[in-house]
Coordinates of all heavy atoms in Angstrom, one line a residue:
I5 N 30.1 -35.9 73.5 CA 30.0 -37.3 73.1 C 29.7 -37.4 71.6 O 28.8 -36.6 71.2 CB 28.9 -38.1 73.9 CG1 29.3 -38.0 75.4 CG2 28.7 -39.5 73.4 CD1 28.2 -38.5 76.3
E6 N 30.4 -38.2 70.9 CA 30.2 -38.4 69.4 C 30.5 -37.0 68.7 O 29.6 -36.5 68.0 CB 28.9 -39.0 69.1 CG 28.7 -40.4 69.5 CD 27.4 -41.0 69.0 OE1 27.1 -40.8 67.8 OE2 26.8 -41.7 69.8
T7 N 31.6 -36.5 69.0 CA 32.0 -35.1 68.5 C 32.6 -35.3 67.1 O 33.4 -36.1 66.8 CB 33.0 -34.4 69.4 OG1 32.4 -34.3 70.7 CG2 33.4 -33.1 68.9
K8 N 32.1 -34.4 66.2 CA 32.7 -34.3 64.8 C 33.1 -32.8 64.7 O 33.0 -32.0 65.6 CB 31.6 -34.7 63.8 CG 31.2 -36.1 64.0 CD 30.2 -36.5 63.0 CE 29.9 -38.0 63.2 NZ 28.7 -38.5 62.6
Q9 N 33.5 -32.5 63.5 CA 34.0 -31.1 63.3 C 32.9 -30.1 63.6 O 33.2 -29.0 64.2 CB 34.5 -30.9 61.8 CG 35.0 -29.5 61.5 CD 35.4 -29.4 60.1 OE1 35.4 -30.3 59.3 NE2 35.8 -28.2 59.8
R10 N 31.7 -30.3 63.2 CA 30.6 -29.3 63.2 C 29.9 -29.4 64.5 O 29.3 -28.3 65.0 CB 29.7 -29.5 62.1 CG 28.6 -28.4 61.9 CD 27.9 -28.5 60.7 NE 28.8 -28.3 59.5 CZ 28.7 -28.9 58.4 NH1 27.8 -29.8 58.2 NH2 29.6 -28.7 57.4
M11 N 29.7 -30.5 65.2 CA 28.9 -30.6 66.4 C 29.2 -31.9 67.1 O 29.8 -32.8 66.6 CB 27.4 -30.6 66.0 CG 27.0 -31.7 65.2 SD 25.2 -31.6 64.8 CE 25.0 -33.1 63.8
S12 N 28.6 -31.9 68.4 CA 28.6 -33.1 69.2 C 27.2 -33.6 69.2 O 26.3 -32.8 69.3 CB 29.1 -32.8 70.6 OG 30.5 -32.4 70.5
R13 N 27.0 -34.9 69.2 CA 25.6 -35.4 69.3 C 25.0 -35.1 70.7 O 23.8 -34.9 70.9 CB 25.5 -36.9 69.0 CG 25.8 -37.1 67.5 CD 25.4 -38.5 67.1 NE 24.0 -38.7 67.1 CZ 23.4 -39.9 67.0 NH1 24.1 -41.0 66.9 NH2 22.1 -40.0 67.0
I14 N 25.9 -35.2 71.7 CA 25.5 -35.0 73.1 C 26.6 -34.1 73.8 O 27.8 -34.4 73.6 CB 25.4 -36.3 73.9 CG1 24.4 -37.3 73.2 CG2 25.0 -36.1 75.4 CD1 24.5 -38.7 73.7
V15 N 26.1 -33.1 74.6 CA 27.0 -32.4 75.4 C 26.4 -32.4 76.8 O 25.2 -32.2 77.0 CB 27.2 -30.9 74.9 CG1 28.0 -30.1 75.9 CG2 27.8 -30.9 73.5
K16 N 27.3 -32.7 77.8 CA 26.9 -32.8 79.2 C 27.6 -31.7 80.0 O 28.9 -31.6 79.8 CB 27.1 -34.2 79.8 CG 26.3 -35.2 79.1 CD 26.7 -36.6 79.5 CE 26.4 -37.0 80.9 NZ 26.6 -38.4 81.2
H17 N 26.9 -31.0 80.9 CA 27.6 -30.0 81.7 C 26.8 -29.8 83.0 O 25.6 -29.5 82.9 CB 27.7 -28.7 80.9 CG 28.3 -27.6 81.7 ND1 27.6 -26.6 82.3 CD2 29.6 -27.4 82.0 CE1 28.4 -25.8 82.9 NE2 29.7 -26.2 82.8
N18 N 27.4 -30.0 84.1 CA 26.8 -29.8 85.4 C 25.4 -30.5 85.5 O 24.4 -29.9 86.0 CB 26.6 -28.3 85.7 CG 27.9 -27.6 86.0 OD1 28.9 -28.3 86.4 ND2 28.0 -26.3 85.9
G19 N 25.3 -31.7 85.1 CA 24.1 -32.5 85.2 C 23.0 -32.2 84.2 O 21.9 -32.7 84.3
T20 N 23.4 -31.4 83.2 CA 22.4 -31.0 82.1 C 22.9 -31.7 80.8 O 24.1 -31.6 80.5 CB 22.3 -29.5 82.0 OG1 21.8 -29.0 83.2 CG2 21.2 -29.2 80.9
I21 N 22.0 -32.2 80.1 CA 22.3 -32.9 78.8 C 21.7 -32.1 77.7 O 20.5 -31.8 77.7 CB 21.7 -34.3 78.8 CG1 22.4 -35.1 79.9 CG2 21.9 -35.0 77.5 CD1 21.6 -36.4 80.3
Y22 N 22.5 -31.8 76.7 CA 22.0 -31.1 75.5 C 22.2 -32.0 74.3 O 23.3 -32.5 74.0 CB 22.9 -29.8 75.3 CG 22.9 -28.9 76.4 CD1 23.8 -29.1 77.5 CD2 22.0 -27.9 76.5 CE1 23.8 -28.2 78.6 CE2 22.0 -27.0 77.6 CZ 22.9 -27.2 78.6 OH 22.9 -26.4 79.7
L23 N 21.1 -32.3 73.6 CA 21.2 -33.1 72.4 C 21.2 -32.2 71.2 O 20.5 -31.2 71.1 CB 20.0 -34.0 72.3 CG 19.7 -35.0 73.4 CD1 18.5 -35.9 73.1 CD2 21.0 -35.8 73.7
C24 N 22.0 -32.6 70.2 CA 21.9 -31.9 68.9 C 20.6 -32.2 68.2 O 19.9 -33.1 68.7 CB 23.1 -32.3 68.0 SG 23.0 -33.9 67.4
G25 N 20.2 -31.4 67.2 CA 19.0 -31.6 66.6 C 18.8 -33.0 66.0 O 19.8 -33.5 65.4
Q26 N 17.7 -33.6 66.2 CA 17.4 -34.9 65.8 C 16.3 -34.9 64.7 O 15.3 -34.2 64.9 CB 17.0 -35.8 66.9 CG 18.0 -36.0 68.0 CD 19.3 -36.7 67.4 OE1 19.2 -37.7 66.7 NE2 20.4 -36.0 67.5
V27 N 16.5 -35.7 63.7 CA 15.5 -35.8 62.6 C 15.1 -37.3 62.5 O 15.7 -38.2 63.2 CB 16.0 -35.3 61.3 CG1 16.3 -33.8 61.3 CG2 17.3 -36.0 60.8
C28 N 14.2 -37.6 61.6 CA 13.7 -39.0 61.5 C 14.8 -39.9 60.9 O 15.8 -39.5 60.4 CB 12.5 -39.0 60.5 SG 12.9 -38.4 58.9
K29 N 14.5 -41.2 60.9 CA 15.3 -42.2 60.3 C 15.1 -42.4 58.8 O 16.0 -42.8 58.1 CB 15.2 -43.6 61.0 CG 15.6 -43.5 62.5 CD 15.4 -44.8 63.2 CE 15.8 -44.8 64.6 NZ 15.6 -46.0 65.4
D30 N 13.9 -42.1 58.4 CA 13.5 -42.2 56.9 C 12.7 -41.0 56.5 O 11.5 -40.9 56.8 CB 12.7 -43.5 56.7 CG 12.4 -43.8 55.3 OD1 12.7 -42.9 54.4 OD2 11.7 -44.8 55.0
A31 N 13.3 -40.1 55.8 CA 12.6 -38.9 55.4 C 11.5 -39.1 54.3 O 10.8 -38.2 53.9 CB 13.6 -37.8 54.9
E32 N 11.4 -40.3 53.8 CA 10.4 -40.6 52.8 C 9.0 -40.9 53.4 O 8.0 -41.0 52.7 CB 10.8 -41.7 51.9 CG 12.1 -41.5 51.1 CD 12.1 -40.2 50.3 OE1 11.1 -39.9 49.6 OE2 13.1 -39.4 50.4
Q33 N 9.0 -41.0 54.7 CA 7.7 -41.3 55.4 C 6.9 -40.0 55.7 O 7.4 -38.9 55.5 CB 8.1 -41.9 56.7 CG 8.8 -43.3 56.6 CD 7.9 -44.3 55.9 OE1 6.8 -44.5 56.2 NE2 8.5 -45.0 55.0
G34 N 5.7 -40.1 56.2 CA 4.9 -39.0 56.5 C 5.2 -38.4 57.9 O 6.1 -38.9 58.6
I35 N 4.5 -37.4 58.3 CA 4.8 -36.7 59.5 C 4.8 -37.5 60.8 O 5.6 -37.4 61.6 CB 4.0 -35.4 59.7 CG1 4.4 -34.5 60.9 CG2 2.5 -35.7 59.8 CD1 5.8 -34.0 60.8
K36 N 3.8 -38.4 60.8 CA 3.7 -39.3 62.0 C 4.8 -40.2 62.2 O 5.4 -40.3 63.2 CB 2.3 -40.0 62.0 CG 1.1 -39.2 62.4 CD -0.1 -40.1 62.5 CE -1.3 -39.2 63.0 NZ -2.5 -40.0 63.2
E37 N 5.2 -40.8 61.1 CA 6.3 -41.8 61.1 C 7.6 -41.0 61.3 O 8.5 -41.5 62.0 CB 6.4 -42.6 59.8 CG 5.2 -43.5 59.5 CD 4.0 -42.8 58.9 OE1 4.1 -41.6 58.6 OE2 3.0 -43.4 58.7
Q38 N 7.8 -39.9 60.7 CA 9.0 -39.1 60.9 C 9.1 -38.7 62.4 O 10.2 -38.8 63.0 CB 9.1 -37.9 60.0 CG 9.4 -38.2 58.6 CD 9.8 -37.0 57.8 OE1 10.3 -36.0 58.3 NE2 9.6 -37.0 56.5
T39 N 8.0 -38.3 63.0 CA 8.0 -37.9 64.4 C 8.3 -39.1 65.3 O 9.1 -39.0 66.2 CB 6.7 -37.2 64.8 OG1 6.4 -36.1 63.9 CG2 6.7 -36.8 66.2
E40 N 7.7 -40.2 65.0 CA 8.0 -41.4 65.8 C 9.5 -41.8 65.8 O 10.1 -42.1 66.8 CB 7.2 -42.6 65.3 CG 5.7 -42.5 65.6 CD 4.8 -43.5 64.9 OE1 5.3 -44.3 64.0 OE2 3.6 -43.5 65.1
T41 N 10.1 -41.9 64.6 CA 11.5 -42.3 64.5 C 12.4 -41.3 65.1 O 13.5 -41.6 65.6 CB 11.9 -42.8 63.1 OG1 11.7 -41.7 62.2 CG2 11.0 -44.0 62.7
M42 N 12.1 -40.0 64.9 CA 12.8 -38.9 65.5 C 12.9 -39.1 67.0 O 13.9 -39.0 67.7 CB 12.2 -37.6 65.1 CG 12.9 -36.4 65.8 SD 11.9 -34.9 65.4 CE 10.5 -35.1 66.5
L43 N 11.7 -39.3 67.6 CA 11.6 -39.5 69.1 C 12.3 -40.8 69.6 O 12.9 -40.8 70.7 CB 10.2 -39.4 69.5 CG 9.5 -38.0 69.3 CD1 8.0 -38.1 69.7 CD2 10.2 -36.9 70.1
E44 N 12.3 -41.8 68.7 CA 13.1 -43.0 69.1 C 14.6 -42.7 69.2 O 15.3 -43.2 70.1 CB 12.9 -44.1 68.0 CG 11.6 -44.8 68.0 CD 11.3 -45.7 66.8 OE1 12.3 -45.9 66.0 OE2 10.2 -46.1 66.6
K45 N 15.1 -41.8 68.3 CA 16.5 -41.4 68.3 C 16.8 -40.6 69.6 O 17.8 -40.7 70.2 CB 16.9 -40.6 67.1 CG 16.9 -41.5 65.8 CD 17.0 -40.7 64.6 CE 18.4 -40.1 64.4 NZ 18.5 -39.4 63.1
V46 N 15.8 -39.7 70.0 CA 15.9 -39.0 71.2 C 16.0 -39.9 72.4 O 16.9 -39.8 73.3 CB 14.8 -38.0 71.4 CG1 14.8 -37.4 72.8 CG2 14.9 -36.9 70.4
D47 N 15.2 -40.9 72.5 CA 15.2 -41.9 73.5 C 16.6 -42.6 73.6 O 17.2 -42.7 74.7 CB 14.2 -43.0 73.3 CG 12.8 -42.6 73.8 OD1 12.7 -41.8 74.8 OD2 11.8 -43.2 73.2
E48 N 17.1 -43.0 72.5 CA 18.4 -43.7 72.4 C 19.5 -42.8 72.9 O 20.4 -43.2 73.7 CB 18.7 -44.1 71.0 CG 17.8 -45.2 70.5 CD 17.9 -45.4 69.0 OE1 18.7 -44.8 68.3 OE2 17.1 -46.2 68.5
L49 N 19.5 -41.5 72.5 CA 20.6 -40.6 73.0 C 20.4 -40.3 74.4 O 21.5 -40.2 75.2 CB 20.5 -39.3 72.1 CG 21.0 -39.5 70.7 CD1 20.8 -38.2 69.9 CD2 22.5 -39.9 70.6
L50 N 19.2 -40.1 74.9 CA 19.0 -39.8 76.4 C 19.6 -41.0 77.2 O 20.2 -40.8 78.2 CB 17.6 -39.6 76.7 CG 17.0 -38.2 76.2 CD1 15.5 -38.2 76.4 CD2 17.7 -37.1 76.9
I51 N 19.2 -42.2 76.8 CA 19.8 -43.4 77.6 C 21.3 -43.4 77.5 O 21.9 -43.6 78.6 CB 19.2 -44.7 77.0 CG1 17.7 -44.7 77.4 CG2 19.9 -45.9 77.5 CD1 16.9 -45.8 76.6
Q52 N 21.9 -43.1 76.4 CA 23.3 -43.1 76.2 C 23.9 -42.0 77.1 O 25.0 -42.2 77.7 CB 23.7 -42.8 74.8 CG 25.2 -42.8 74.5 CD 25.5 -42.5 73.0 OE1 24.6 -42.5 72.2 NE2 26.7 -42.2 72.8
A53 N 23.2 -40.9 77.3 CA 23.7 -39.8 78.1 C 23.4 -40.0 79.6 O 23.9 -39.1 80.4 CB 23.1 -38.5 77.6
G54 N 22.6 -41.0 80.0 CA 22.3 -41.1 81.4 C 21.0 -40.4 81.8 O 20.9 -39.9 82.9
S55 N 20.0 -40.4 80.9 CA 18.8 -39.8 81.2 C 17.6 -40.5 80.6 O 17.8 -41.6 80.0 CB 18.8 -38.3 80.8 OG 17.7 -37.6 81.3
D56 N 16.4 -39.9 80.6 CA 15.3 -40.5 79.9 C 14.3 -39.4 79.7 O 14.5 -38.3 80.1 CB 14.7 -41.7 80.7 CG 14.2 -41.3 82.0 OD1 13.8 -40.1 82.3 OD2 14.2 -42.2 82.9
R57 N 13.2 -39.8 79.0 CA 12.2 -38.8 78.6 C 11.5 -38.1 79.8 O 11.0 -37.0 79.7 CB 11.2 -39.3 77.6 CG 10.3 -40.4 78.1 CD 9.3 -40.8 77.0 NE 9.9 -41.9 76.2 CZ 9.1 -42.7 75.5 NH1 7.8 -42.6 75.5 NH2 9.7 -43.6 74.7
K58 N 11.5 -38.8 81.0 CA 10.9 -38.2 82.2 C 11.8 -37.0 82.7 O 11.3 -36.3 83.6 CB 10.7 -39.2 83.3 CG 9.6 -40.2 83.0 CD 9.4 -41.2 84.2 CE 8.3 -42.1 83.9 NZ 8.1 -43.1 85.0
H59 N 13.0 -36.9 82.2 CA 13.9 -35.9 82.7 C 14.2 -34.8 81.7 O 15.1 -34.0 81.9 CB 15.2 -36.6 83.2 CG 15.1 -37.3 84.4 ND1 14.5 -38.6 84.4 CD2 15.3 -37.0 85.7 CE1 14.5 -39.0 85.7 NE2 15.0 -38.1 86.5
I60 N 13.4 -34.7 80.6 CA 13.5 -33.7 79.7 C 13.0 -32.4 80.3 O 12.0 -32.3 80.9 CB 12.7 -34.0 78.4 CG1 13.3 -35.2 77.7 CG2 12.7 -32.8 77.4 CD1 12.5 -35.7 76.5
L61 N 13.9 -31.4 80.2 CA 13.6 -30.0 80.7 C 12.9 -29.2 79.6 O 11.9 -28.5 79.9 CB 14.9 -29.3 81.1 CG 15.7 -30.1 82.2 CD1 17.0 -29.4 82.4 CD2 14.9 -30.2 83.5
S62 N 13.4 -29.2 78.4 CA 12.8 -28.4 77.3 C 13.0 -29.1 76.0 O 14.0 -29.8 75.8 CB 13.3 -27.0 77.3 OG 14.7 -27.0 76.9
A63 N 12.1 -28.8 75.1 CA 12.2 -29.3 73.7 C 11.8 -28.1 72.8 O 10.9 -27.4 73.0 CB 11.3 -30.5 73.5
T64 N 12.6 -28.0 71.7 CA 12.2 -27.1 70.6 C 12.0 -27.9 69.4 O 12.9 -28.7 69.0 CB 13.3 -26.1 70.4 OG1 13.6 -25.4 71.6 CG2 12.9 -25.1 69.3
I65 N 10.8 -27.8 68.9 CA 10.4 -28.6 67.7 C 10.3 -27.7 66.5 O 9.7 -26.6 66.6 CB 9.1 -29.3 67.9 CG1 9.2 -30.3 69.1 CG2 8.6 -30.1 66.6 CD1 7.8 -30.9 69.5
Y66 N 11.0 -28.1 65.4 CA 11.0 -27.3 64.2 C 10.1 -28.2 63.2 O 10.4 -29.3 63.0 CB 12.4 -27.1 63.6 CG 13.3 -26.5 64.7 CD1 14.0 -27.3 65.5 CD2 13.4 -25.1 64.8 CE1 14.9 -26.7 66.5 CE2 14.2 -24.6 65.7 CZ 14.9 -25.4 66.6 OH 15.7 -24.8 67.5
I67 N 9.1 -27.6 62.7 CA 8.2 -28.3 61.8 C 8.2 -27.5 60.4 O 8.1 -26.3 60.4 CB 6.8 -28.4 62.4 CG1 5.9 -29.4 61.7 CG2 6.1 -27.1 62.6 CD1 4.7 -29.8 62.5
K68 N 8.2 -28.3 59.4 CA 8.3 -27.7 58.0 C 7.1 -26.9 57.7 O 7.2 -25.8 57.0 CB 8.5 -28.8 57.0 CG 8.7 -28.3 55.6 CD 9.1 -29.4 54.6 CE 9.3 -28.8 53.2 NZ 9.9 -29.9 52.4
D69 N 5.9 -27.3 58.1 CA 4.7 -26.6 57.7 C 3.7 -26.9 58.9 O 3.5 -28.0 59.3 CB 4.1 -27.1 56.4 CG 3.0 -26.3 55.9 OD1 2.1 -26.0 56.7 OD2 3.0 -26.0 54.7
M70 N 3.1 -25.8 59.4 CA 2.2 -26.0 60.5 C 0.9 -26.8 60.2 O 0.2 -27.2 61.1 CB 1.7 -24.6 61.0 CG 2.8 -24.0 61.9 SD 3.1 -25.0 63.4 CE 4.4 -24.1 64.1
K71 N 0.7 -27.1 58.9 CA -0.4 -28.0 58.5 C -0.1 -29.4 59.2 O -1.1 -30.2 59.3 CB -0.5 -28.2 57.0 CG 0.6 -28.9 56.3 CD 0.3 -28.9 54.8 CE 1.4 -29.7 54.1 NZ 1.3 -29.6 52.6
Y72 N 1.1 -29.7 59.6 CA 1.4 -31.0 60.2 C 1.4 -31.0 61.7 O 1.6 -32.0 62.4 CB 2.9 -31.4 59.8 CG 3.1 -31.6 58.3 CD1 4.1 -30.8 57.7 CD2 2.4 -32.5 57.6 CE1 4.3 -31.0 56.3 CE2 2.6 -32.7 56.2 CZ 3.6 -31.9 55.6 OH 3.8 -32.1 54.3
F73 N 1.0 -29.8 62.3 CA 1.1 -29.6 63.7 C 0.3 -30.6 64.5 O 0.7 -31.2 65.5 CB 0.7 -28.2 64.0 CG 0.9 -27.8 65.5 CD1 2.1 -27.6 66.0 CD2 -0.3 -27.6 66.3 CE1 2.3 -27.2 67.3 CE2 -0.1 -27.2 67.6 CZ 1.1 -27.0 68.1
A74 N -1.0 -30.8 64.1 CA -1.9 -31.7 64.9 C -1.4 -33.1 64.8 O -1.4 -33.8 65.8 CB -3.3 -31.6 64.4
E75 N -1.0 -33.6 63.7 CA -0.5 -35.0 63.5 C 0.8 -35.2 64.3 O 0.9 -36.2 65.0 CB -0.3 -35.3 62.1 CG -1.5 -35.5 61.3 CD -1.2 -35.8 59.8 OE1 -0.9 -34.8 59.1 OE2 -1.3 -37.0 59.4
M76 N 1.7 -34.2 64.3 CA 2.9 -34.3 65.0 C 2.6 -34.4 66.5 O 3.1 -35.2 67.3 CB 3.8 -33.1 64.7 CG 5.2 -33.1 65.5 SD 5.1 -32.5 67.2 CE 4.6 -30.8 66.9
N77 N 1.6 -33.6 67.0 CA 1.3 -33.5 68.4 C 0.6 -34.8 68.8 O 0.8 -35.2 70.0 CB 0.3 -32.4 68.7 CG 1.1 -31.1 69.0 OD1 2.2 -31.1 69.6 ND2 0.5 -30.0 68.6
E78 N -0.1 -35.5 68.0 CA -0.6 -36.9 68.3 C 0.5 -37.8 68.8 O 0.4 -38.5 69.8 CB -1.4 -37.5 67.2 CG -2.7 -36.9 66.9 CD -3.4 -37.6 65.7 OE1 -3.3 -38.8 65.6 OE2 -4.0 -36.8 64.9
V79 N 1.5 -37.8 68.0 CA 2.7 -38.7 68.3 C 3.4 -38.2 69.6 O 3.7 -38.9 70.5 CB 3.7 -38.8 67.1 CG1 4.9 -39.6 67.5 CG2 2.9 -39.3 65.9
W80 N 3.6 -36.9 69.6 CA 4.3 -36.3 70.8 C 3.5 -36.6 72.1 O 4.1 -37.0 73.1 CB 4.4 -34.8 70.6 CG 4.9 -34.0 71.8 CD1 4.2 -33.4 72.7 CD2 6.3 -33.9 72.2 NE1 5.0 -32.8 73.7 CE2 6.3 -33.1 73.4 CE3 7.5 -34.3 71.6 CZ2 7.5 -32.8 74.0 CZ3 8.7 -33.9 72.3 CH2 8.7 -33.2 73.5
D81 N 2.2 -36.3 72.1 CA 1.4 -36.5 73.3 C 1.4 -38.0 73.8 O 1.4 -38.2 75.0 CB -0.1 -36.1 73.0 CG -0.2 -34.6 72.8 OD1 0.7 -33.8 73.2 OD2 -1.3 -34.1 72.3
A82 N 1.5 -38.9 72.9 CA 1.6 -40.3 73.2 C 2.9 -40.7 73.8 O 3.1 -41.6 74.6 CB 1.2 -41.2 72.0
W83 N 4.0 -39.9 73.4 CA 5.4 -40.2 73.7 C 5.7 -39.6 75.1 O 6.5 -40.3 75.9 CB 6.3 -39.7 72.7 CG 7.7 -39.9 72.9 CD1 8.4 -41.1 72.6 CD2 8.7 -39.0 73.3 NE1 9.7 -40.9 72.9 CE2 10.0 -39.6 73.3 CE3 8.7 -37.6 73.6 CZ2 11.1 -39.0 73.7 CZ3 9.8 -37.0 74.0 CH2 11.0 -37.7 74.0
V84 N 5.2 -38.5 75.4 CA 5.5 -37.8 76.7 C 4.8 -38.5 77.8 O 3.6 -38.6 77.8 CB 5.2 -36.3 76.7 CG1 5.4 -35.7 78.0 CG2 6.0 -35.6 75.6
P85 N 5.5 -39.0 78.9 CA 4.9 -39.7 80.0 C 3.9 -38.7 80.7 O 4.2 -37.5 80.9 CB 6.0 -40.0 80.9 CG 7.3 -40.0 80.0 CD 7.0 -39.0 79.0
Q86 N 2.8 -39.3 81.1 CA 1.8 -38.5 81.8 C 2.4 -37.8 83.1 O 3.2 -38.5 83.8 CB 0.7 -39.4 82.3 CG -0.5 -38.8 83.0 CD -1.4 -38.1 82.0 OE1 -1.4 -38.4 80.9 NE2 -2.1 -37.1 82.5
G87 N 2.2 -36.5 83.2 CA 2.8 -35.8 84.3 C 4.2 -35.2 84.1 O 4.7 -34.6 85.0
Y88 N 4.8 -35.5 82.9 CA 6.2 -35.1 82.7 C 6.3 -34.1 81.5 O 7.3 -34.2 80.7 CB 7.1 -36.3 82.5 CG 7.2 -37.1 83.8 CD1 6.4 -38.1 84.1 CD2 8.2 -36.8 84.7 CE1 6.5 -38.9 85.2 CE2 8.4 -37.5 85.9 CZ 7.5 -38.5 86.1 OH 7.6 -39.2 87.3

Side-chain angles (χ1 to χ4, degrees):
I5 300 169
E6 294 187 42
T7 300
K8 297 181 179 163
Q9 180 181 357
R10 188 169 296 143
M11 67 182 178
S12 297
R13 289 191 72 193
I14 302 167
V15 175
K16 295 169 71 171
H17 180 257
N18 287 340
T20 304
I21 298 163
Y22 304 86
L23 301 184
C24 68
Q26 295 301 305
V27 296
C28 63
K29 294 178 182 177
D30 181 0
E32 300 305 314
Q33 299 295 314
I35 187 65
K36 285 186 176 183
E37 295 84 1
Q38 285 196 26
T39 304
E40 287 169 357
T41 61
M42 173 188 74
L43 294 173
E44 287 171 8
K45 290 168 72 176
V46 168
D47 278 332
E48 292 166 6
L49 289 174
L50 287 173
I51 290 167
Q52 181 181 350
S55 191
D56 61 27
R57 64 178 89 157
K58 288 183 178 179
H59 289 80
I60 294 174
L61 303 171
S62 70
T64 303
I65 299 171
Y66 306 92
I67 192 164
K68 184 174 184 171
D69 190 314
M70 281 298 172
K71 70 182 181 184
Y72 301 120
F73 187 71
E75 290 179 278
M76 180 277 299
N77 272 328
E78 284 181 40
V79 177
W80 173 264
D81 291 344
W83 182 77
V84 174
Q86 184 76 22
Y88 292 91

